[in-house]
Amino acid sequence: MERATHIIILTLISCFEIWMCYQILYRTVLEKRYLQTWQKILIWGNILGMGIVLGVNRGIFFLSSAILWLCIFYTIVVAVILNVKRWHLIVEIVGIYYLFVALLDLFFAFCGIAIGNDFYQVFSAYNYSGEKCILFILSRISIISILIFLKKERKGEIIVEKAQTFMLVTMGILVVIVTGYHFLIYDILNGLSDVSGWSAACSLLAIFVVVAFCLGISWKNQSLKQENQILEVREKLELDNMRDMMKALEQNRIQVHDMRHHMIILREYALKKEYEAIETYVVVKHFCNTYG
């Protein structure tokens, strides 16, 4: 009974995790309001089907590398079917999301070990303790906070469109970190390493800080580069507008000068009462202006 209850809770947590992934996709690359019935069925099939697989697997292993990549692949396939034109963004968003959640799971697991839980109790197979569910819940609460921020800002689509290369690099870094910690857990379970919970948690936190700092600097540089490009385009437009304005002023000056010259000639003809000359002059000028 305890085992069944434990797996049900883990399944619900896993379904909620996949559902949150689609909430992020709705705020970036998918249009929820335009989804057809078969597309909604496909999405919920992904959420429920993969959620059950994850829940059962997490009842056995805290974090399975094979199931993690299967979940990423399956979600990408479903999302690409919904919007194939933006497949590259979908791959990056889904990959970053699941890898980041996996790292949060590891971080809270290491913290749990640091405050008293046994390493083997958390990571070994067939452990149906309630602490494992709590660790997964803490990670999802962190993701909910990020979702609330995205909903408040409503800049998700703008961000991902401007940061495709940045996101690809981020995903690559997360792949390396997750893979490294998978090997670390394997070594600890097999007695090849004696890293403590505090050491693992602090090392992961330090990696988070360093990576976030480096990515933040990279993002800032990219933003400054884009701002400089915008300023260059704006400066070019202003210079073009200035040239057009100077050209228009010059043309206006020439027209004023020509008009003054015409008025002087017509005035002289008028003083001499040479009205036929005035008529001839006007006709000739009109013909020249019309036919060049």
Side-chain angles (χ1 to χ4, degrees), residues 1-9 128:
M1 185 66 182
E2 180 183 357
R3 175 183 177 183
T5 303
H6 185 77
I7 292 178
I8 290 173
I9 294 174
Y128 302 110

Side-chain angles (χ1 to χ4, degrees), residues 243-260:
R243 292 192 190 96
D244 293 339
M245 186 179 298
M246 294 299 295
K247 185 177 180 180
L249 289 174
E250 181 64 21
Q251 291 178 348
N252 185 61
R253 187 189 66 80
I254 293 173
Q255 290 176 355
V256 170
H257 179 269
D258 292 343
M259 183 61 67
R260 184 179 300 170

Side-chain angles (χ1 to χ4, degrees), residues 116-138:
N117 289 326
D118 182 74
F119 191 95
Y120 294 91
Q121 183 182 8
V122 174
F123 289 102
S124 61
Y126 301 103
N127 173 29
Y128 302 110
S129 61
E131 288 82 359
K132 182 184 288 189
C133 295
I134 294 174
L135 296 176
F136 284 118
I137 290 173
L138 289 174

Side-chain angles (χ1 to χ4, degrees), residues 70-130:
L70 176 63
C71 187
I72 292 174
F73 175 77
Y74 188 26
T75 305
I76 288 174
V77 170
V78 173
V80 168
I81 292 175
L82 301 178
N83 190 351
V84 69
K85 292 181 179 180
R86 308 179 78 177
W87 64 270
H88 52 288
L89 287 176
I90 292 172
V91 171
E92 294 170 356
I93 293 170
V94 174
I96 290 174
Y97 170 78
Y98 282 113
L99 292 168
F100 183 69
V101 172
L103 285 177
L104 284 177
D105 290 338
L106 288 175
F107 175 74
F108 285 112
F110 291 141
C111 289
I113 294 170
I115 62 177
N117 289 326
D118 182 74
F119 191 95
Y120 294 91
Q121 183 182 8
V122 174
F123 289 102
S124 61
Y126 301 103
N127 173 29
Y128 302 110
S129 61

Side-chain angles (χ1 to χ4, degrees), residues 176-191:
V176 173
I177 296 174
V178 171
T179 303
Y181 275 92
H182 269 122
F183 283 118
L184 176 63
I185 294 171
Y186 177 82
D187 290 343
I188 295 175
L189 290 175
N190 288 276

Side-chain angles (χ1 to χ4, degrees), residues 280-292:
T280 302
Y281 184 83
V282 171
V283 171
V284 170
K285 288 300 178 183
H286 176 70
F287 180 85
C288 291
N289 292 332
T290 302
Y291 301 100

